[in-house]
Amino acid sequence: FSKSNALKRAVLRAITPVATVERVALWADHFEALDQDGDGKVSIHDLARRLVDHGGLSKNEAAQLSVVLAESDEGGDLVSYSAFLAACLSAHVTWDDRQLRSLFNRLDRNQSGMVSFEDVHKALGDVVDVESLQAEFAGRELTYSDFRWLMS
């Protein structure tokens, strides 16, 4: 998840509150069952094994999730709940063209067909890593094609 582009991370953080209660509760249950000392971190290997045994993931899916989690900003063999939740959301959230177009149009406040850093920052506020997003935009605006590619 941490290797995703800044725009995609910001959008995923923004939609985290709308994930279904059942889905988030299931993820939390699996995580908390492993977090015996309550420090908010668990072993990536143990978490992947539990999700295969009890969470409905295939071994291949768990291996892919393990790689994503191991490459997180935290590094090492441990993952925090917030990094785990973000990785799960990035793996489970898919966008069809209609949804992407709708999101792009909401970000494109002046209907110019282009989205600027300022448009994204105004729309997503605190969930944006301003420095990463600014570096990603590099002073240019995004067309819908650029936006769709970054969100895929």
Side-chain angles (χ1 to χ4, degrees):
F1 173 76
S2 68
K3 302 296 184 192
S4 298
N5 65 68
L7 177 63
K8 188 172 184 178
R9 287 194 312 265
V11 170
L12 288 171
R13 281 190 193 105
I15 66 162
T16 298
V18 299
T20 65
V21 172
E22 295 82 14
R23 181 177 284 173
V24 173
L26 177 65
W27 296 336
D29 289 345
H30 288 300
F31 191 94
E32 289 171 8
L34 292 172
D35 187 15
Q36 297 297 313
D37 62 2
D39 70 352
K41 294 187 177 194
V42 299
S43 158
I44 293 169
H45 175 74
D46 292 346
L47 183 59
R49 187 175 60 238
R50 180 171 180 91
L51 292 175
V52 168
D53 294 345
H54 305 287
L57 286 186
S58 70
K59 288 183 180 182
N60 187 41
E61 290 169 327
Q64 290 173 347
L65 181 60
S66 294
V67 169
V68 170
L69 293 174
E71 292 176 348
S72 75
D73 290 336
E74 297 165 23
D77 181 51
L78 298 178
V79 63
S80 68
Y81 177 69
S82 60
F84 168 64
L85 179 61
C88 286
L89 283 170
S90 72
H92 287 86
V93 173
T94 57
W95 305 86
D96 65 28
D97 194 58
R98 182 184 53 77
Q99 292 168 317
L100 282 174
R101 177 59 76 177
S102 176
L103 179 56
F104 181 84
N105 289 340
R106 287 182 186 189
L107 293 173
D108 181 15
R109 292 180 178 251
N110 65 1
Q111 301 303 304
S112 67
M114 305 291 276
V115 171
S116 68
F117 162 77
E118 290 80 16
D119 292 333
V120 175
H121 187 249
K122 284 179 188 173
L124 300 180
D126 293 342
V127 299
V128 174
D129 177 348
V130 175
E131 291 176 10
S132 295
L133 192 61
Q134 264 185 320
E136 197 167 275
F137 272 73
R140 65 184 189 90
E141 294 185 331
L142 299 177
T143 65
Y144 175 69
S145 294
D146 297 332
F147 179 78
R148 187 179 62 215
W149 180 80
L150 284 171
M151 293 300 294
S152 62

